[in-house]
Amino acid sequence: MATQRLVIIPYLQEWDGAVLSLRLLLIPRGSPISPLVGTSPSFAAAHFVFDVFVTPDASSLPAPGGSVTTTVSSPIVATALPVFNALATQFEIDPNPTENGTPPVNAQVRKQLPLSYQKATGYAPGRTSLVSTDQSYSCAFKHPPSTYTPLPPPNPKIPWGRVVAFLLRNSALAEAAGLIRVVQIPLDAKSLKNGAFIYMTLSSTSDAAALLPNGLLSYAARFPVLLASRDIFTSVLFPVVATPPNIDYGDIFAEVEDYDDGFAKAVHCAQPQQLDPLNETPDGTRPAKELGIRIGWDDEQVTIWMNRQLNAPADSPIGVQGYRIDTRITGTTPWNSLTQAAGPIGVNGIPLGTFNGELAIETHPVQFQAQTTGDFWLPLYFASWSGPSLVTLDNTRIQLAGGPAGSNTNRVVGLKPAIALVYGKSYDFRVRLSDHTGGGPVISDTPSNPGPSPVGSIPFRRWIRPLAATINETVPVVTDPVNPPASISLKRPLLFYPSVACTDHYPNVINQLLADLPAAKAAGREPGLPDPDVDRLQITIEVRGLAQDPTCTDGPYIPLITTTRPFPPDTAASVILDFAWTDTADVYSLAEPATGPILLPTARDIRLSMLPLCRDDPNGLYFGTDDVRYGRNVQVSLRKNSSTETNLFAPDLPSNRFSAYFFQPDVQPDTATMYAQRAAGAGNTAPTDLASRMSNELGLRNDGLTLRAQPGRRVVFGCTPAINHFTGPDLASITFSSQSDIALHWFVVIKLTLNRDWSWDQLVNSGIVVHRDGLQVGAFSPNRNINSDALTNPQRLQTDLIFFDEIDPKPAAGGFPQELTPQYTITCTFNNQPVADPPLNLSILLPITTPPAQVPEIVSAGIAMSPYTRAADYSSTAVRTKALWIELSAPPADPRDRFFARVLRNAPDPILSSTSVNVSSTLEPPLPVDPELVRKIVQGQADDKAGLDAMQPLTPSDDPLHWSLPLPPGMTASSPQLFGFFTYELRVGHFGNGTTDMWSTAQGRFGAPLRVAGVQHPAPPLPLTLQRTTTGIAVSAPFATPILDGVSVQTLTPKSTLWVLLYAQAEQVDGQDKRNILLSRKSALPPGREGKLRFTNPYGEAAFTAAEVATMLANLGFVAKAPLSVLAVEMLPQDVLPDDPLGADLGSQRILRTSPLVPVPGIC
């Protein structure tokens, strides 16, 4: 097959009803300065004659041959050969290029359809599978293949094909090289009324005619139906072959008809609103740079055309080489081209005239990361207009980037559009198609074929947020808290090209930007001008909060107050911020004035977040949205120490501020413990563990031995190192190592409320120092952390400070337990020396918690009686008071202690009780004192005599070794229980010295016990009842009645015996006194005994008849009316009873008790 050396392509331009205007594209293959064939002239020197073929059937492709419609001559282009010779000199031409233009295998061109296209066209899938609406393009762009094969270095030699392609980028240059020939062809209008094809070949009379038939390649252009004069555009070309491809050209024919007016049908626009230009949905970001208005058109059709070039069974190359974009302000009529260019053209010093026309924008697909396989992607949009021309380089950008100024007098440059791109205006756009010869509709043409969106419209808004304002002064990162800055000043932020030009504020914006270039280079930034849209500075006063505090919205800082201050009208002037510092306990109470100095709180880390704020846009016609008006923050950290820190701690009750606790260790509940619980009024409630008791008392929560605050309350713990513990990093929890560090010690709790909000930070580290009795026991202070416990409905204006100290209550060796009077002093140390409260002094009186170590030891015991008292005439005696006395081995070791006793149990005297009585064995009760699992003492608390009523103090005598044992509680000297035996417990207990009390806890009140069984108090007095009548004297007395649990256990017949003694008073011989002479004695028997009746009344009776009395008196020489008295005696039972126990056998039987001597009344 012969080598094809020439390609002939006609591009239709206009039909005036008689003459067809077209631009003929001639593409030489190989060298244009070598003979085309044989000895024929070269392409550059050839005189071409073309045969024109017009086939009136537009429904099928034209075939070669047939009748020549007309012949057109195209003479030699005089500039062609010099141009190509100059190019051959300028470039190193590759005479044997290896590139053959073979399309990649299994490759396709794909296109993402932006939302603006979908909206403009009412997009519905189905036309082509090569477009997508998902994230395919974005993913391919952001996640390219992991492997990257660098492209080989470019070949320094350039084939002639690339040179030709370069020339075709400028139609005037291509015409000068002879590549483009303008042809006028007269035609019969009737032959075109149904459409037609036109193509051209070399005439037999033409130079290089020897190329016929196979040395050249011709393509045909398809006519639309021409019923009147009109412009025509060739969007697709068709092969001229004897056997056309076996495919359906119907869709391609339709494309030709749709685009034969040369206008795009689906123009759409968008303005980037997010930082990522590929993201079309809001993501909270805004663009960093003004990209202008992005313009796209006919996305599906362009994609189809591109794929047809890669996979071309139809051999129908696209006739569109580029696109020309026009714009106008919405609501106006004239269109303005954005692709206009002008300037001299030439090749390697050969001037070729001046170009003044339109260039075109081209669309090219690419493979990501220089891959040589895989899909190609078209860009999301095909053009982006930010103000200057869309063709050639933007000289302003070059200059502002520090490049050379350049001269526009020696090259073709894009012309500044007649319309400016300004924020707040709306713009229309349309797109005109340009063929490879530069032909196509001109600016004055209008489309004749409809489309879904031939004009795209968009409001151009500012989506660029202002940058940060510039602080004029150098503010240190850490300011001096003693002398912080009194003020700072700030300039408006800079706005850069092209955004600043889009504001339309500066009349000579480019020159002003260029004037800023030296300063910009020195500062390492791009040139810019003060943002004219910024009219105020928004100042947010922030205080450093606590770590983990959710109100900290930017790092550790909490926004407090937001205010504004206006910038001066002169955009170059600065706003000055003066500061007014104030001491406050509550930053949330500060009210920031709208004008004047900025009010700042002391004693806190302050950050000023200052952002420029653009002018108001109430109608939303200038800014894209309201958040765009807010610029970037510039931040300044400040701090000033306070001058006054009085009332640091909130007022509180002394009992809340200062208390001490004495915790008992955990005990396993047993009968004794439960008894003690009930004695303390706690019923059967089991005692809680120590940690729970402690947390309940302190109003805290606990997890084992870890204490933490209740929700909503910030607590900072401190503790003496004498207690093994560790605190959490936020100081909001404290964990004690073991119960032994807490139990059986005075656990002193100082609870203060720091009357400052959480942001206050004026104390030095460990600035709260606690002294006890002049010695430091600990130091602590809040840190910059917060626990999640405090963040539930938080109370941010105060912080609870809890300090724990421990005092060992045990006395020193050889000493005695004493009350403790610790004196605490709380001193605060600040970062400076503000006026502050004096040190806080706290004192407390703590009772004794250590029981006496001494255990009582009994040496002997006996009965103590009141003095013997009788009547003067000895007719009667008084009842003698009796008490049991105990002799101990030693007095109390501590003079302030005393001996105490309590009854453990009692039982009736078995020799007086019925033998059937069964005294059950029961546990002896524990000491009935409050278990005091927690003993709390508050400041100013008085002695509560805790535990003192659990035992009875023994009554001292004038001898420190002898003590009287009082009767058990509830008993009197006549109580029948005294006929029994008692088991006693004796202890040494804290009591006092008679002038001052000795304050003790209940658990510390008594020492170890001495158990004494078989204790018997003196028997109750024996009462006697007598009655004298003329018949005699009757005497009765009760028997001893043993009691068990309140019930008599007396036998049917009392075991004891009663005797009644009758006395007569006689005067001594000396007359100095009276004496009693025993007249008689009788046994007093229970009533009815003689008749052996059942005993019911526990008393005995005896009677002396008048005759007996008279005889006894007479026998002893007494007068008949001598004064008489009686006495009763109760004898204990024994196995062998004497006959006369109170007479001849006196002493052989024990006496239980005797009555007093009672006078016998006389008778009338």
Side-chain angles (χ1 to χ4, degrees), residues 117 123-129 131 255 258-259 298 300-301 304:
Y117 175 82
Y123 169 74
R127 183 178 179 189
T128 174
S129 62
V131 296
E255 293 172 9
D258 288 342
Y259 290 94
D298 300 64
E300 293 176 274
Q301 185 61 64
I304 291 171

Side-chain angles (χ1 to χ4, degrees), residues 207-224:
D207 287 345
L211 290 175
L212 294 170
N214 297 322
L216 60 82
L217 179 63
S218 294
Y219 283 94
R222 188 172 185 272
F223 282 94

Side-chain angles (χ1 to χ4, degrees), residues 508-662:
N508 195 7
V509 63
I510 303 303
N511 288 339
Q512 289 176 273
L513 286 169
L514 292 174
D516 183 55
L517 185 58
K521 288 182 177 180
R525 59 171 174 81
E526 61 178 301
L529 298 175
D531 191 333
D533 292 331
V534 172
D535 67 350
R536 75 200 82 164
L537 186 71
Q538 178 176 289
I539 306 106
T540 299
I541 302 169
E542 303 170 307
V543 294
R544 180 183 290 273
L546 305 179
Q548 290 84 50
D549 189 341
T551 60
C552 296
T553 58
D554 184 8
Y557 284 89
I558 301 172
L560 185 62
I561 299 172
T562 298
T563 186
T564 60
R565 296 294 185 271
F567 276 103
D570 182 359
T571 58
S574 300
V575 59
I576 299 174
L577 303 180
D578 295 317
F579 303 139
W581 295 90
T582 181
D583 297 337
T584 180
D586 175 11
V587 293
Y588 301 103
S589 65
L590 292 180
E592 190 66 41
T595 60
I598 305 296
L599 191 62
L600 300 178
T602 61
R604 294 160 178 85
D605 290 339
I606 302 299
R607 187 173 71 182
L608 298 184
S609 291
M610 299 165 288
L611 59 84
L613 182 57
C614 292
R615 57 187 172 86
D616 294 330
D617 183 22
N619 297 320
L621 299 179
Y622 186 86
F623 297 100
T625 187
D626 191 64
D627 69 76
V628 176
R629 297 173 51 235
Y630 294 82
R632 298 181 186 174
N633 263 329
V634 60
Q635 296 174 331
V636 172
S637 295
L638 300 171
R639 182 184 179 93
K640 181 177 175 60
N641 290 332
S642 56
S643 59
T644 302
E645 288 296 351
T646 54
N647 300 317
L648 184 64
F649 301 125
D652 203 350
L653 295 174
S655 58
N656 291 339
R657 272 190 169 182
F658 190 33
S659 56
Y661 298 85
F662 195 84

